[in-house]
Every structure is written in C-alpha cells, then in structure tokens.
Amino acid sequence: MIAALVIGMGFLAWVSTSNSMASVTFKDIGYRTTDATQAEVDFQVTREPGTAVKCAIKALDSKFAVVGWKVVDIPPVDQSAQGQSADGGRTLAQRVVLRTESQAVSGVVDSCWIPKPAAS
C-alpha cells in the first residue's frame, strides 16, 4: 500500500515537472491595422530555446468577430543566438501580418503550443 502511494506520488511529480519544462507562454504586445485588408500583431513567446512552437493569431472586428486568422511556426533558436538575450533565448519577439476580411480593431494571440513530432 505504501509502495503504491510512493510510486503514485513519484509519477505525479514527474508529470508535473515534465509539463513545466516543456511549457510555452505568450504575451500580446500590440497590434496595428494598416487598412481593411491587413493587420499586424506583435507578441512575445517564451519557451525552451531548442523548442519549436506554433501560435494561432487572430484579428477581431468591433463586434469581436474573427476577421483574420493565421497559424505561425516559430522555429527553435540556434545555440549562437541564445547568448544574445537576457533569458538565454527563451523569449522571442514576433510580428505577424494577417490578411483580414474587413477592418480589424484588435489583434491577439489565441494560443501557442508545442507541436507533436511528425510520425516517421
């Protein structure tokens, strides 16, 4: 009984540690609409330097309807670039240009995730 409890606690610790080490976070910085057909979204992504990330970006109109959407790939940072930032290359600034169906009044990151490796 005690052995099962210890194994279970060890497994939970491993799962929570592995999830936190492979996490990705994002922060909206700003947006700009150039005209009714285009918007730019600025954001930051924080993840482990050797980790590729995908982010879904959306532009919204005044009624919060999605008028533009794009999934972008953020490649891993190479070793030489890691020393150039204060956090070792974990946080990257990104600017994404979106095509829009009508005038956007805001642009935000919907979500970011670490893609699963392709099956070979």
Side-chain angles (χ1 to χ4, degrees):
M1 179 78 158
I2 293 175
L5 182 60
V6 169
I7 291 171
M9 289 176 63
F11 177 74
L12 288 175
W14 175 76
V15 167
S16 64
T17 303
S18 64
N19 284 344
S20 66
M21 289 175 19
S23 67
V24 58
T25 59
F26 59 89
K27 179 180 178 182
D28 293 317
I29 302 298
Y31 69 91
R32 184 171 81 99
T33 54
T34 54
D35 58 31
T37 64
Q38 185 172 300
E40 295 177 352
V41 179
D42 294 319
F43 62 100
Q44 290 179 334
V45 176
T46 302
R47 82 294 182 257
E48 290 301 316
T51 304
V53 173
K54 288 185 179 277
C55 292
I57 316 300
K58 64 184 177 180
L60 304 170
D61 68 8
S62 60
K63 296 180 182 177
F64 301 105
V66 176
V67 294
W69 179 270
K70 187 175 193 178
V71 175
V72 295
D73 292 310
I74 301 170
V77 175
D78 65 6
Q79 296 295 331
S80 62
Q82 289 181 22
Q84 297 174 1
S85 67
D87 66 353
R90 287 179 44 84
T91 301
L92 297 174
Q94 299 289 305
R95 174 170 285 163
V96 174
V97 177
L98 297 171
R99 292 179 152 257
T100 58
E101 296 174 359
S102 60
Q103 184 72 41
V105 298
S106 70
V108 296
V109 178
D110 185 67
S111 61
C112 290
W113 64 95
I114 299 170
K116 296 187 183 211
S120 49

